[in-house]
Amino acid sequence: MLGSHTGIINYTVGQRKGLGISSKEPLYVVGIDAQNNTVIVGEKQDVYADEFVTGDVNWISIEKITTPLSLKVKIRYLHQEAEAVISAADNDKVNVKFRSPQMAVTPGQAAVFYDGDVVVGGGTIERVLN
């Protein structure tokens, strides 16, 4: 344990400032465990991930995913779209695998899938796989 926090609602994955702890290297929020009321911190490289599962998927320009698709994916409002392969997973979920790791892939945030300017669909990030 490195310290105490002011409530998990005050933290978000990728956050660096306002953690209230000091370290030789800058620390970032890399995870939040609501069940155990724990904020997990690590170094910058620990904030990056390249694969996650999305649920509550809504398809816009296709009926459903039948084969893996190479698309651009945006994981939050200010995130620069990144190339990824999306594929069907169990229970109507979608697996997203970025071509290169992205910072602060966060459960609870929206993931939107694009083919150029066309929104293919989107859903809610449920869990990060790495």
Side-chain angles (χ1 to χ4, degrees):
M1 182 165 121
L2 296 175
S4 59
H5 60 77
T6 60
I8 61 173
I9 195 164
N10 297 311
Y11 300 88
T12 189
V13 173
Q15 178 178 339
R16 184 174 76 82
K17 299 201 184 260
L19 300 181
I21 52 177
S22 62
S23 172
K24 287 182 184 179
E25 298 294 323
L27 294 176
Y28 296 78
V29 175
V30 298
I32 297 172
D33 181 350
Q35 189 171 10
N36 293 308
N37 194 32
T38 303
V39 177
I40 304 158
V41 296
E43 295 178 359
K44 188 168 186 172
Q45 71 268 13
D46 300 323
V47 179
Y48 284 83
D50 67 356
E51 192 169 6
F52 63 92
V53 174
T54 301
D56 297 324
V57 178
N58 290 312
W59 297 111
I60 307 298
S61 65
I62 63 174
E63 191 160 323
K64 68 178 186 173
I65 189 167
T66 56
T67 61
L69 300 172
S70 291
L71 299 170
K72 297 238 176 161
V73 176
K74 193 169 183 175
I75 55 171
R76 65 185 157 276
Y77 178 69
L78 295 176
H79 180 251
Q80 177 66 41
E81 298 170 350
E83 292 183 18
V85 174
I86 66 168
S87 55
D90 293 337
N91 301 320
D92 296 323
K93 299 189 186 310
V94 171
N95 189 71
V96 178
K97 173 83 170 156
F98 284 115
R99 295 205 188 282
S100 61
Q102 301 297 304
M103 185 172 179
V105 179
T106 308
Q109 294 288 334
V112 182
F113 316 133
Y114 295 91
D115 185 4
D117 291 336
V118 176
V119 175
V120 176
T124 303
I125 299 171
E126 289 190 347
R127 71 189 151 92
V128 179
L129 298 178
N130 56 346

